């Protein structure tokens, strides 16, 4: 079966910035992603103690900063340091670094080939500062790069007395993201929160934005994977961002690629498909491909996804330019 693939409409989303090259979610990583030609740049957003949305992947600070060295007494019982327990002023004193894990109190860099941990000087910034960076670059370069914020763990935030979604939406409105034509996708893993956004938060402030349902497996919301699931999702969302093995299964081999029904069903329901996360680091590619470019080819062209989240936006933009 031959299908028409519209390459010019496909997008590259810089996952946490150009996080393959610089510490994730730093303004430096976002600037690099911008310069590499990403169409959208991702922000993970969490809330501080004093109600400021900041850009941070985890709801905790201890895998990407020196919080444990600077504020040892602020640890919770589970040995983690929660961003929500710190004011913005305190968070601004932290050094951000390449992601690490602890092995007998030794900091071990998660991706050994990436930017060395605890070198140079990086900071955590607010969601607003990141929008200003991207809109500022749009102004100075004449490009029109979009933003792709994620509402991190909305239920956790609500349980802590914080309405993160409303804070994010209010910031977006202030920066003129107000319609589905705005260069913006707003994402969350939580379908219940997506419904609240669609039915309450967005109408309450009189704006309408593109919403994306993240999905990391088939079990959290099994109805999405049923015959009519995408049609039902389309009542609330404009697209779906699945883990990439839900597009091309890990049962695939070099000689036998297994593409699921997800893209076909999503497109039939009018939904965009933006899977994650495409990494070219050693050991990060599925066994059914021999190169990163081949992985991009299988997903962008054979499976016909509309965009991808990648830590290496330069490689994806180059791929789309050369096919
Ligand atoms: Ca994310």
């Amino acid at each position: 079966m031959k299908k028409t693939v519209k390459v010019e409409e496909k997008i590259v989303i810089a996952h946490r910035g150009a996080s393959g090259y610089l510490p994730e979610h730093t303004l430096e990583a976002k600037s690099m992603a911008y310069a590499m030609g990403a169409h959208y740049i991702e922000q993970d957003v969490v809330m501080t103690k004093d109600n400021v949305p900041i850009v941070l992947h985890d709801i905790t600070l201890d895998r990407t900063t020196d919080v444990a060295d600077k504020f040892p007494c602020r640890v919770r019982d589970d040995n983690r340091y929660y961003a929500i327990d710190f004011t913005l002023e305190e968070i601004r004193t932290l050094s951000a670094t390449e992601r690490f894990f602890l092995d007998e109190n030794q900091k071990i860099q998660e991706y050994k080939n990436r930017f060395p941990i605890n070198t140079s000087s990086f900071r955590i910034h607010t969601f607003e500062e990141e929008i200003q960076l991207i809109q500022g670059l749009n102004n100075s370069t004449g490009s029109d790069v979009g933003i792709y914020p994620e509402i991190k763990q909305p239920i956790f935030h609500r349980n802590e007395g914080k309405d993160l979604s409303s804070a994010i939406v209010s910031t977006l409105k202030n920066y003129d993201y107000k319609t589905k034509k705005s260069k913006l996708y707003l994402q969350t893993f939580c379908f219940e929160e997506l419904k609240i956004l669609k039915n309450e938060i967005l109408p309450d402030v009189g704006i309408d934005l593109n919403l994306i349902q993240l999905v990391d497996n088939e079990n959290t919301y099994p109805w999405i994977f049923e015959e009519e699931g995408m049609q039902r999702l389309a009542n609330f969302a404009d697209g779906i961002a699945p883990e990439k093995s839900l597009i091309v299964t890990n049962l695939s081999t070099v000689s036998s690629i297994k593409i699921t029904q997800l893209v076909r069903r999503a497109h039939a329901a009018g939904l965009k498909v933006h899977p994650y996360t495409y990494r070219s680091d050693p050991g990060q590619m599925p066994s059914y491909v021999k190169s990163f470019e081949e992985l991009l080819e299988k997903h962008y062209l054979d499976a016909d996804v509309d965009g991808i989240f990648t830590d290496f936006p330069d490689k994806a933009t180059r791929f789309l330019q050369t096919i």
Side-chain angles (χ1 to χ4, degrees), residues 281-295:
D281 309 85
Q284 291 295 316
M285 277 182 292
S287 58
Y288 59 80
V289 291
K290 295 197 187 78
S291 69
F292 190 61
E293 287 63 36
E294 202 184 331
L295 179 65

Side-chain angles (χ1 to χ4, degrees), residues 15-16 25 42-44 57 150 152 187 189 214 309:
H15 182 247
R16 309 182 201 173
H25 284 319
E42 191 203 23
Q43 301 78 34
D44 289 308
H57 177 267
E150 177 182 349
K152 297 300 289 193
Q187 45 164 342
F189 275 103
L214 287 152
F309 285 86

Side-chain angles (χ1 to χ4, degrees), residues 90-107:
E90 289 169 334
I91 287 172
R92 285 202 194 279
T93 68
L94 301 176
S95 287
T97 183
E98 187 63 34
R99 178 169 288 272
F100 61 87
F101 61 90
L102 293 174
D103 185 13
E104 296 183 357
N105 284 332
Q106 282 281 98
K107 292 178 184 176

Side-chain angles (χ1 to χ4, degrees), residues 51-96:
N51 301 320
V52 182
I54 57 168
V55 180
L56 187 71
H57 177 267
D58 304 350
I59 55 172
T60 51
L61 291 156
D62 42 87
R63 293 294 180 267
T64 52
T65 76
D66 59 350
V67 67
D69 305 323
K70 289 206 174 104
F71 295 96
C73 303
R74 305 281 288 277
V75 69
R76 285 197 191 186
D77 290 344
D78 61 359
N79 254 342
R80 305 302 300 267
Y81 298 79
Y82 287 77
I84 213 164
D85 295 337
F86 293 80
T87 63
L88 177 62
E89 195 182 336
E90 289 169 334
I91 287 172
R92 285 202 194 279
T93 68
L94 301 176
S95 287

Side-chain angles (χ1 to χ4, degrees), residues 297-315:
E297 184 185 322
K298 299 287 180 235
H299 287 248
Y300 269 128
L301 303 185
D302 297 354
D304 197 20
V305 304
D306 302 290
I308 64 159
F309 285 86
T310 178
D311 296 359
F312 299 89
D314 56 331
K315 297 186 183 186

Side-chain angles (χ1 to χ4, degrees), residues 125-161:
H125 57 272
T126 66
F127 181 45
E128 193 168 6
E129 286 165 341
E130 179 151 341
I131 294 176
Q132 288 175 358
L133 176 81
I134 294 167
Q135 291 195 346
L137 283 166
N138 283 343
N139 194 66
S140 57
T141 65
S143 295
D144 189 16
V145 171
I147 63 170
Y148 209 128
E150 177 182 349
I151 303 158
K152 297 300 289 193
Q153 302 210 21
I155 306 225
F156 166 83
H157 280 93
R158 288 190 186 282
N159 288 341
E160 297 273 336

